[in-house]
Structure formats: structure tokens, C-alpha cells
Amino acid sequence: MIRKCLFPVAGYGTRFLPATKAMPKEMLPIVNKPLVQYGVEEAAAAGLNRIGFITGRGKRSIADHFDISYELEREIAGSGKEELLTSIRKLIDENEFAFKRQNHMKGLGHAILSGRYLMGDEPFAVVLADDLCVVDEGEEGVLAQMVKLYKQFRCSIVAIQEVPEDEVHKYGVIAGEYMKDGLYRVTDMVEKPAKEDAPSNLAIIGRYILTPDIFELIENTKPGKNGEVQITDALLKQAQDGCVLAYKFKGRRFDCGSIDGFVEATNYVYNNVFKKD
Ligand code: UTP
């Protein structure tokens, strides 16, 4: 049974300055919905309705977004605008939200470790909300695809996609033995390798399913690339000791942590989702 999902949202979002000076990157809207809401919708659709956020200073608007806005709702009650809040009200009604602060931004691995007591001793998903994943109408979301695989294999799973060789330095990159249907058994993982050192062009994107033994592995992981505690290093240990799978998901992913990806996602959602609704 997997029912929890962790959202590390404590990063500084420096690539979006000055927009992110006083506002979390995850609250930037793609058309009319903040990035983080797309992520929570994907988790809820996968049956994960206990949502944990790893936040930081200056991230309060995320907690406000997943709470009722009494004055506003009263103000627009009975007007045509009420329906604009339907999607967020549904999430608030159907999911549980918990928040914990990461006091020092020591990297994604450290952010996940900060969620130890929110996630408890059970498998959980991790979503990096600045990676927006979309699928064709009627298809299962990326997390739902991964949850299905977890139920079959019961081990940690990372989502991967092929990236151009000159972009591997931005990602954790895996080497693996191909199993079937886009699934690999991970044999190696390198965080942000130079092109020459990359074991493949299969890059990890912001969707993970992790088994709870990952916490102890992170605890024993020394700071790696850029002095940050890297989840990739802990996952490599897990792969060496047992099993980690990498899954080439069905769907499309936009790197909304970068300006180009953000603009691409905005155009895509405007033309393919917003205008059609
Ligand atoms: P990124 O490196 O993409 O996000 O981390 P960032 O640091 O906020 O962005 P830039 O590079 O400065 O523009 C990936 C995810 O991990 C979270 C971030 O919030 C983001 O969702 N993160 C990263 C944490 O929660 N804590 C950290 O210490 C580091």
C-alpha cells in the first residue's frame, strides 16, 4: 500500500529571480494554476492523498494555497467566479496536508530526509513540482504509472527520460540493464556528470517512489556534487545493496525550473488544456 507523497519545495529558485525573491518557485502559475497544484493533482490521481511538504522560510503561500480562503470564498459565493476554485477545493476536501521546514537548504537528499517523520516507515512518492508532467487525455498520470509498477516490484523507482548528450550535466544519470516496457534495473548512477563521464543519456526527472530504508541511506550519505546531500548517491547505494528500477514513463515532461521549459509548458497547457476546457 502506498498512500503518501512528499513535495520538497524548500529550494531558492534562483533561476527565476527576481520573481522568486518573495514568492516560492512552486507557486508560479502555468496559465492559471500554480505548479505545485499540478503536482498534487497528479499525486491524488495516483491514489496518494497524504501530502507532505518540505518547505522553508518564505514559503507560506503554499500552505495558504492548500487551505480555505474564507474572505475570498465568501466574497465570490454565488457568482460565476466560484467555479474557478473548484479544482483547489476538491484537493483540499479529498487530501490531507502536512508541512515541515527544512532549516538549511543542503540539497534534495537532505530535503527528503527532513520528511522522515512525515512519511514514516512506509513507501512514498516524491514529486519535484517544477517538473510538470502531462499525459494524453485518458492516459494515466506519470505517478499512477509508477505506483502500478511499485505494486508489482516493491522497490524504489525513479522516472527517467532520454535527454540530449549536451544536457546530461543537469541531471542524475543512470546506467541500467533493460528489463521490459521501458523498465531498467539500475546498475550505476552519477549526479550531474560531464558529457564524457555520463553512463548513458537516461536522466532522472522529478518523480520517485522510495522505500523507507532510503532514510538511513541518506543519513549515511556525505555531501556530494556542489556540497549538497544528493538523493542520487543514496539511491546508488540502495541499487548496489538491493534493487532500484528506472522507468521511462509515458508522457511529456517540462522543466519548469528553467525559463525555456516554463514558457514551453505555458504554451502547451494554454493550447492543449486550457483552451479545450
Ligand atoms: P532545484 O535545484 O531544481 O531547485 O531543486 P532550486 O534550488 O529551488 O532552483 P534553482 O536551481 O536555484 O533555480 C529541485 C527541487 O528540490 C527542492 C527544490 O525546491 C526543487 O523543488 N530542494 C532543493 C529542496 O527542497 N531543498 C534543497 O535543499 C534543495
Side-chain angles (χ1 to χ4, degrees), residues 3-277:
R3 49 191 189 152
K4 292 186 178 176
C5 187
L6 191 66
F7 285 75
V9 292
Y12 292 119
T14 53
R15 282 168 288 172
F16 271 89
L17 285 169
T20 46
K21 182 164 174 280
M23 173 189 161
K25 168 170 78 173
E26 297 77 9
M27 285 301 289
L28 291 172
I30 298 295
V31 188
N32 62 342
K33 219 190 266 183
L35 271 169
V36 67
Q37 186 176 334
Y38 289 95
V40 173
E41 285 175 352
E42 187 186 326
L48 311 177
N49 46 29
R50 298 189 182 183
I51 309 292
F53 291 97
I54 300 303
T55 71
R57 291 175 287 282
K59 301 274 182 171
R60 262 188 212 152
S61 58
I62 296 177
D64 288 341
H65 189 69
F66 292 98
D67 191 4
I68 286 170
S69 174
Y70 184 74
E71 294 82 358
L72 172 70
E73 290 181 38
R74 217 187 120 144
E75 192 64 32
I76 64 173
S79 80
K81 290 183 183 153
E82 221 176 348
E83 67 172 22
L84 295 174
L85 291 178
T86 308
S87 64
I88 185 66
R89 278 307 294 257
K90 185 167 156 46
L91 287 183
I92 294 168
D93 291 345
E94 295 177 2
N95 300 279
E96 291 285 337
F97 300 94
F99 299 84
K100 162 96 173 55
R101 280 196 179 188
Q102 183 188 12
N103 305 116
H104 301 282
M105 307 326 158
K106 292 190 202 158
L108 180 57
H110 180 261
I112 293 173
L113 184 59
S114 309
R116 185 175 204 161
Y117 298 105
L118 287 182
M119 295 299 105
D121 193 21
E122 47 184 287
F124 61 100
V126 174
V127 169
L128 306 186
D130 50 359
D131 270 343
L132 176 68
C133 291
V134 295
V135 292
D136 290 340
E137 213 175 319
E139 295 295 323
E140 279 189 318
V142 174
L143 269 188
Q145 296 169 35
M146 294 173 74
V147 165
K148 235 183 206 169
L149 287 171
Y150 175 78
K151 286 178 178 161
Q152 199 181 340
F153 294 97
R154 309 262 155 198
C155 62
S156 290
I157 306 170
V158 296
I160 50 167
Q161 77 171 117
E162 284 185 46
V163 296
E165 261 186 12
D166 55 1
E167 287 187 20
V168 287
H169 66 279
K170 299 181 190 165
Y171 297 91
V173 178
I174 69 135
E177 290 158 9
Y178 188 67
M179 293 164 65
K180 58 168 186 166
D181 303 331
L183 209 55
Y184 296 76
R185 191 189 166 105
V186 172
T187 51
D188 196 10
M189 264 183 196
V190 190
E191 183 61 29
K192 299 190 174 69
K195 192 158 105 182
E196 315 70 74
D197 303 328
S200 74
N201 69 337
L202 298 172
I204 302 173
I205 64 119
R207 300 288 181 278
Y208 306 74
I209 288 185
L210 302 174
T211 50
D213 53 312
I214 198 72
F215 292 121
E216 207 173 313
L217 294 169
I218 302 174
E219 235 172 14
N220 294 321
T221 299
K222 295 203 173 62
K225 200 93 180 184
N226 303 333
E228 295 185 332
V229 178
Q230 301 290 350
I231 185 65
T232 317
D233 295 337
L235 276 165
L236 176 59
K237 184 83 176 75
Q238 202 177 36
Q240 287 163 344
D241 293 352
C243 181
V244 172
L245 298 178
Y247 171 56
K248 215 195 268 181
F249 61 94
K250 297 188 188 77
R252 205 170 156 176
R253 166 249 177 197
F254 296 94
D255 174 12
C256 298
S258 74
I259 303 275
D260 288 347
F262 184 86
V263 173
E264 248 176 74
T266 302
N267 287 325
Y268 181 90
V269 172
Y270 181 67
N271 290 314
N272 296 283
V273 184
F274 188 75
K275 268 169 118 179
K276 284 190 179 159
D277 281 349

